[in-house]
Amino acid sequence: MKKLLLVLATFSLFSCTAQTPVKADIEKALLSTWDKPATSSGPKQSATIHSIKIGTGAKANVQDKIDGIPDKATVTIAQIDFTVREYYNDKTLVTHRVMTAKVYKDQFGEWALKSNGMKVIENTSEPAK
């Protein structure tokens, strides 16, 4: 009986940690949203991540479900400090942001994030490249 409890406790530990994103997971999710090629309706964008702080996780609540986060997902709060560059013909717009995001696994088992608040730290421009 003790061995069975030990196995179950070990399994539950691994299943909990599997639902906690690491910095690389959050970076990939952020870049999938903010790194974009140029299109007919917008310029090329690239993001540079300065830091990521990972907070605590909890099961999705009612508001998370309304926001489209899957019912049984574990939602982890993260603070992401990053800069986005938008490349135009005559200049490059540079926006430094700090985002608080909810990070979770979507319906396809991929890490995704939803902004829970964003602060623009600085807007500048650079000569076109």
Side-chain angles (χ1 to χ4, degrees):
M1 185 66 170
K2 288 182 182 179
K3 287 183 181 180
L4 178 61
L5 290 175
L6 182 61
V7 169
L8 289 174
T10 304
F11 177 72
S12 76
L13 176 65
F14 284 119
S15 68
C16 289
T17 58
Q19 292 300 313
T20 302
V22 296
K23 288 183 179 184
D25 298 325
I26 296 170
E27 183 175 332
K28 182 179 177 185
L30 181 95
L31 294 177
S32 72
T33 302
W34 291 91
D35 269 357
K36 298 178 185 177
T39 64
S40 60
S41 61
K44 175 185 172 184
Q45 283 186 193
S46 67
T48 304
I49 298 173
H50 306 294
S51 68
I52 297 173
K53 293 180 186 173
I54 301 173
T56 58
K59 289 294 179 193
N61 62 33
V62 174
Q63 184 61 51
D64 295 332
K65 295 172 196 173
I66 291 169
D67 292 340
I69 295 174
D71 189 28
K72 296 181 181 178
T74 299
V75 180
T76 301
I77 298 297
Q79 184 182 61
I80 310 161
D81 183 341
F82 67 107
T83 298
V84 175
R85 284 182 168 72
E86 295 177 280
Y87 300 95
Y88 293 92
N89 291 333
D90 60 337
K91 63 184 170 188
T92 300
L93 295 180
V94 182
T95 306
H96 182 187
R97 296 176 163 96
V98 175
M99 173 195 294
T100 302
K102 295 179 179 182
V103 185
Y104 61 95
K105 282 202 172 181
D106 65 13
Q107 295 87 339
F108 304 104
E110 298 290 323
W111 288 107
L113 58 84
K114 290 196 179 282
S115 176
N116 199 36
M118 191 164 343
K119 181 177 178 183
V120 173
I121 305 298
E122 181 179 28
N123 280 319
T124 59
S125 64
E126 301 172 343
K129 293 185 179 187

